[in-house]
Amino acid sequence: QLDRVTHTITRNHTRLETVPQGAIQQAIAALPQGSVLFAGSIRENFARYRPDCKEEDIRAALRDAQLDEVVAALPQGIDTPLGEDACFLSGGQRGRLLTAIAIAGKEPVILLDEPTCGLDQKTAAALMAALFARVQETGQTLLTITHERTLVTKFQQTIELRK
């Protein structure tokens, strides 16, 4: 016998099934692992994904995504071309750039897919600390898909999916 736990998803005290269809997509910021990054610069990637993003929001998102040192090391900084699908960045740097683009907006929900994948422990810990501080400050909700058991313990609530 299976015990069933029922959860009702609401937004601003409105049941999910009564929310207009397009409103859900507008409320969630997500760039899944493997999303396309463009050959242009970091600034150009932000312009494509976040055309209304201000310079200070881009810089704050890059800082929170632990990319300050990476950007500083690039020959033209934020305006350095990244190569096709950002091939001049490592896998971990690409993931952090996708994270930065996702968190740069004001959507109430941020959904991140394996944000610490390819990162060393120190960078992963700093990234997650910055993300938790950001959502604490903004009131956003952070949803994370992860296989990292140590990361799971840092969240207030977890849902484990099994086969």
Side-chain angles (χ1 to χ4, degrees), residues 37-56:
L37 286 168
F38 299 96
S41 66
I42 291 172
R43 184 185 312 280
E44 289 173 54
N45 274 277
F46 271 91
R48 287 187 181 233
Y49 281 112
R50 296 268 186 210
D52 298 329
C53 202
K54 297 177 184 156
E55 180 77 16
E56 60 268 18

Side-chain angles (χ1 to χ4, degrees), residues 31 35-53 58 62 67 74 77-89 93-94 96-102 104:
L31 283 172
S35 291
V36 172
L37 286 168
F38 299 96
S41 66
I42 291 172
R43 184 185 312 280
E44 289 173 54
N45 274 277
F46 271 91
R48 287 187 181 233
Y49 281 112
R50 296 268 186 210
D52 298 329
C53 202
I58 293 171
L62 291 170
L67 284 170
L74 294 172
I78 196 172
D79 295 307
T80 303
L82 300 177
E84 187 175 334
D85 200 23
C87 65
F88 298 145
L89 298 179
Q93 291 166 344
R94 285 183 83 263
R96 284 182 282 159
L97 180 52
L98 289 168
T99 295
I101 294 168

Side-chain angles (χ1 to χ4, degrees), residues 3-163:
D3 290 338
R4 290 192 152 188
V5 177
T6 304
H7 293 281
T8 301
I9 300 174
T10 62
R11 180 168 183 259
N12 296 333
H13 306 291
T14 303
R15 291 175 63 91
L16 182 64
E17 58 270 13
T18 65
V19 175
Q21 206 167 23
I24 295 171
Q25 288 89 340
Q26 291 174 349
I28 300 173
L31 283 172
Q33 204 175 35
S35 291
V36 172
L37 286 168
F38 299 96
S41 66
I42 291 172
R43 184 185 312 280
E44 289 173 54
N45 274 277
F46 271 91
R48 287 187 181 233
Y49 281 112
R50 296 268 186 210
D52 298 329
C53 202
K54 297 177 184 156
E55 180 77 16
E56 60 268 18
D57 295 330
I58 293 171
R59 297 289 179 177
L62 291 170
R63 181 190 64 241
D64 287 349
Q66 309 304 298
L67 284 170
D68 277 348
E69 289 180 19
V70 173
V71 171
L74 294 172
Q76 298 166 32
I78 196 172
D79 295 307
T80 303
L82 300 177
E84 187 175 334
D85 200 23
C87 65
F88 298 145
L89 298 179
S90 71
Q93 291 166 344
R94 285 183 83 263
R96 284 182 282 159
L97 180 52
L98 289 168
T99 295
I101 294 168
I103 66 176
K106 306 291 186 226
E107 294 87 356
V109 178
I110 300 169
L111 174 60
L112 301 177
D113 182 12
E114 300 286 357
T116 59
C117 184
L119 303 182
D120 61 76
Q121 261 187 330
K122 180 182 174 190
T123 305
L127 172 65
M128 292 312 300
L131 291 173
F132 286 133
R134 175 182 274 266
V135 298
Q136 181 71 33
E137 180 182 315
T138 63
Q140 292 169 296
T141 298
L142 176 63
L143 300 175
T144 302
I145 301 165
T146 187
H147 291 92
E148 300 276 339
R149 290 274 182 207
T150 55
L151 184 58
V152 169
T153 62
K154 300 190 183 319
F155 283 85
Q156 290 177 351
Q157 186 176 15
T158 62
I159 299 171
E160 184 175 345
L161 302 178
R162 298 182 196 163
K163 288 185 179 180

